[in-house]
């Protein structure tokens, strides 16, 4: 009986992996932006576990290699998530990246941005407000510019998709150790791409 049970568990695990790898993009992606000051990651994950589990994409800034060890303890909660975490000391450096819906860029590199577009990326994380705005106006991406705690976090989008027609889709002053959840319509990006 154990052999049959083990086989069935393995079959379900492989089926889940296959479904994740061939998943058709949905109309909306739920994004969790972690505003993290570099201290108390276990508390952040514990206090915002529902938000993090409900997200398809997780973006974080100010993470260290020690934080990755803590995240590994919660690995089951983050299975099948598209994740991008940047480093604490060097915000231009990606510490952890998983998934194709999200990627990171430091400069306006057309070849790199075209390759992101071809691989199904819909969210690009950047460190500069002007760079994010420029990328969103020329490519079908939402750009996330995560801010430091007590500073502004921004999401840019192509101008036709923004309420004020200014290219800024979302803006929030982030506080210490919290998580912001936002739904992004990715189907509308393909309409922008077609134009």
């Amino acid at each position: 009986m154990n052999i049959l049970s083990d086989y069935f568990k393995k079959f379900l695990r492989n089926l889940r992996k296959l479904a994740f790898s061939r998943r058709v993009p949905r109309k909306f992606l739920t994004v969790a932006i972690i505003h993290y000051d570099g201290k108390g990651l276990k508390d952040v994950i514990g206090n915002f576990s529902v938000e993090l589990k409900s997200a398809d994409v997780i973006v974080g800034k100010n993470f260290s290699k020690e934080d990755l060890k803590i995240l590994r303890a919660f690995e089951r909660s983050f299975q099948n998530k598209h994740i991008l975490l940047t480093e604490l000391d060097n915000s231009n450096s990606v510490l952890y990246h998983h998934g194709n819906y999200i990627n990171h860029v430091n400069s306006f590199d057309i070849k790199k941005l075209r390759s992101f577009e071809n691989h199904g990326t819909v969210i690009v994380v950047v460190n500069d407000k002007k760079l994010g705005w420029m990328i969103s106006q020329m490519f079908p991406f939402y750009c996330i510019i995560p801010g430091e705690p007590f500073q502004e976090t921004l999401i840019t989008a192509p101008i036709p998709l923004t309420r004020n027609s200014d290219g800024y889709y979302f803006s929030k002053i982030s506080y210490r150790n919290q998580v912001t959840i936002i739904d992004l319509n990715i189907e509308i990006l393909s309409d922008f791409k077609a134009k």
Side-chain angles (χ1 to χ4, degrees):
M1 190 68 179
N2 278 342
I3 295 172
L4 186 60
S5 175
D6 289 342
Y7 175 78
F8 187 67
K9 286 179 186 176
K10 187 175 181 180
F11 173 76
L12 287 177
R13 214 175 306 124
N14 289 335
L15 188 64
R16 217 177 292 134
K17 286 179 185 176
L18 182 65
F20 176 67
S21 65
R22 296 181 181 208
R23 186 179 292 167
V24 176
R26 299 178 300 189
K27 185 173 180 175
F28 285 92
L29 282 179
T30 302
V31 178
I33 303 171
I34 302 173
H35 311 286
Y36 181 54
D37 67 359
K39 299 172 191 154
L41 184 58
K42 284 184 183 179
D43 292 336
V44 173
I45 293 172
N47 293 337
F48 296 98
S49 63
V50 173
E51 290 86 347
L52 293 171
K53 286 179 183 175
S54 70
D56 303 302
V57 177
I58 298 173
V59 178
K61 185 177 180 176
N62 294 334
F63 284 81
S64 68
K65 291 178 182 170
E66 288 76 31
D67 292 327
L68 285 182
K69 293 174 188 172
I70 294 170
L71 287 173
R72 287 195 196 347
F74 296 94
E75 200 165 19
R76 286 189 77 151
S77 300
F78 297 118
Q79 272 185 329
N80 302 334
K81 307 255 183 239
H82 300 261
I83 302 172
L84 193 131
L85 305 174
T86 59
E87 280 195 68
L88 177 64
D89 297 328
N90 183 359
S91 60
N92 291 330
S93 177
V94 174
L95 183 66
Y96 181 80
H97 176 245
H98 177 262
N100 63 333
Y101 287 164
I102 189 164
N103 230 310
H104 182 269
V105 71
N106 291 326
S107 63
F108 194 81
D109 182 345
I110 291 178
K111 288 181 182 178
K112 189 180 260 190
L113 293 167
R114 284 278 179 236
S115 77
F116 290 169
E117 188 177 5
N118 293 336
H119 287 97
T121 299
V122 290
I123 299 169
V124 176
V125 176
V126 298
N127 300 313
D128 180 61
K129 179 178 176 178
K130 290 178 185 174
L131 176 63
W133 186 90
M134 191 167 52
I135 289 171
S136 288
Q137 302 322 308
M138 298 184 77
F139 291 92
F141 299 134
Y142 288 101
C143 285
I144 297 178
I145 304 101
E148 296 292 332
F150 303 106
Q151 293 181 9
E152 190 174 37
T153 293
L154 296 167
I155 298 178
T156 62
I159 282 178
L161 309 184
T162 59
R163 285 181 219 115
N164 298 336
S165 297
D166 62 357
Y168 294 101
Y169 188 82
F170 173 84
S171 173
K172 179 179 182 171
I173 300 292
S174 59
Y175 296 98
R176 178 175 289 125
N177 293 341
Q178 70 180 50
V179 174
T180 298
I181 296 289
I182 186 163
D183 289 324
L184 298 178
N185 186 336
I186 58 168
E187 188 176 82
I188 205 164
L189 284 178
S190 57
D191 295 342
F192 175 76
K193 182 178 178 179
K195 291 181 182 180

